[in-house]
Amino acid sequence: MRILALVPGGIGDQILFFPTLDSLKRLYPNAYIDVVVEPRSKGAYRVSKFFHDKSLQVLPFDFKDRNGLADWGNLLGIMRDREYDAVISLGQRWVVGLLLWLTGIPIRISYSDLGNSWLLTNPVPLKTEQYAAGMYHDLLQGFGVSMPCPELSVTLLKEDLRWSDEEQQRLGVKDSGYILIHGGASQLSQIKGLDKIYPVEKWQQIIQDLQTRQPLPVVLIQGPEDKPLCDQLVRSCPGIKVTSPPDVGKLAATIAAANLMLCTDSAPMHLAVAVQTYTIALFGPTDPAKLLPSGDRYIGIQSSTGRIADISPEKVLEKVWGG
């Protein structure tokens, strides 16, 4: 059996899709599965448990680009040539439904509430009020299967664990443990104007309180777009350390070793959940219940005004200290 999965979105969306991929492999252990993702997200599969599984292939396609007919035609050609038995799609654009119909794939599964149900063979109700991983997992109902969604999980490569261990030694936090902070957001979310960046001066208040009240060092994650924020915090908070993991695997290993993760809604947040690090995440207008699973280890703080900048440092510290 050959199965195709269209999974547009960022690294976080891929991590949230892993439970569905896991269940697919359980249901069809001998199936070949191809996953089509945006180029920026392909690196997420480094922490998939199927990273070395030759029956899984990750194919890049930029869903967010201004694709012309030739681009969609090339993707359609690939989908037809590989003669898939089934396709599932997380895409919520009508053009994706049309694409599925044009492929002629016998089993076409996507959400039914997008106005394109007639293009699908097995539409599934879209339930947006639940945790996103569960919403993605609902697509398996298109195969006539109803089963609980597995917890988020990732697999860390030995070389990534080794890198993290050496990085902790370099930072001087190997024996003490550390609090990890990711305060940035992807460039795409900034371009789209999504409210995901917490003000530097408020992070500064939180870090200074942490440095005063507990012995654990504070480590900042510096992603490709986070340098200005990290530079400001380093200048204003002497003693904090900075790490820049070069890929998702090493980032996940760094998060797994932390005592606490403080972050905004971002890919590192989903990795923190997947490695079961105690996490406190800040949200603007987004409901945390849609992006964090229930449980005592994962706390979402949503702004009462819908603006992430309006979350007070005191409220964050109250959660840190268990008040």
Side-chain angles (χ1 to χ4, degrees), residues 4-27:
L4 174 66
L6 304 182
V7 190
I11 288 174
D13 293 287
Q14 310 309 314
I15 304 299
L16 290 165
F17 179 69
F18 283 1
T20 303
L21 183 59
D22 185 31
S23 292
L24 268 177
K25 293 294 287 185
R26 289 175 183 270
L27 289 168

Side-chain angles (χ1 to χ4, degrees), residues 260-263 269 272-273 277-281 292 297-300:
L260 169 66
M261 175 75 161
L262 296 176
C263 59
M269 178 190 76
V273 172
T277 293
Y278 190 89
T279 303
I280 299 174
L292 284 176
R297 298 187 68 81
Y298 318 115
I299 297 173

Side-chain angles (χ1 to χ4, degrees), residues 101-287:
W101 179 72
L102 290 172
T103 65
I105 295 173
I107 300 174
R108 303 186 298 276
I109 302 168
S110 190
Y111 298 111
S112 62
D113 296 34
L114 307 176
N116 61 358
S117 296
W118 63 278
L119 298 169
L120 309 170
T121 61
N122 301 32
V124 173
L126 175 63
K127 300 178 181 178
T128 59
E129 72 281 356
Q130 62 179 316
Y131 180 40
M135 183 179 76
Y136 296 166
H137 198 263
D138 283 349
L139 288 172
L140 296 185
Q141 295 172 17
F143 291 98
V145 175
S146 181
M147 57 192 298
C149 179
E151 294 182 350
L152 247 60
S153 66
V154 295
T155 299
L156 304 179
L157 301 178
K158 289 182 179 179
E159 61 196 86
D160 294 337
L161 290 168
R162 188 181 311 114
W163 183 93
S164 175
D165 187 78
E166 292 172 354
E167 179 72 351
Q168 292 169 55
Q169 295 282 8
R170 181 186 73 82
L171 295 172
V173 300
K174 175 63 179 175
D175 297 324
S176 63
Y178 54 96
I179 294 174
L180 200 56
I181 292 179
H182 180 255
S186 69
Q187 186 176 17
L188 181 60
S189 67
Q190 295 178 47
I191 292 173
K192 294 173 67 175
L194 300 180
D195 187 17
K196 293 187 176 185
I197 297 182
Y198 195 54
V200 171
E201 61 273 14
K202 295 194 174 184
W203 278 124
Q204 179 182 344
Q205 292 179 53
I206 292 170
I207 292 170
Q208 289 175 343
D209 186 271
L210 293 173
Q211 291 177 323
T212 301
R213 296 176 60 179
Q214 55 76 42
L216 292 180
V218 175
V219 178
L220 302 179
I221 298 173
Q222 180 175 295
E225 293 93 27
D226 301 332
K227 191 174 188 304
L229 181 145
C230 289
D231 285 348
Q232 291 181 64
L233 288 175
V234 168
R235 287 195 298 268
S236 60
C237 302
I240 61 174
K241 305 170 188 294
V242 178
T243 184
S244 300
D247 57 53
V248 173
K250 295 171 181 60
L251 173 59
T254 301
I255 295 171
N259 299 70
L260 169 66
M261 175 75 161
L262 296 176
C263 59
T264 57
D265 169 17
S266 59
M269 178 190 76
H270 298 298
L271 287 172
V273 172
V275 298
Q276 299 185 3
T277 293
Y278 190 89
T279 303
I280 299 174
L282 313 185
F283 293 83
T286 307
D287 181 359

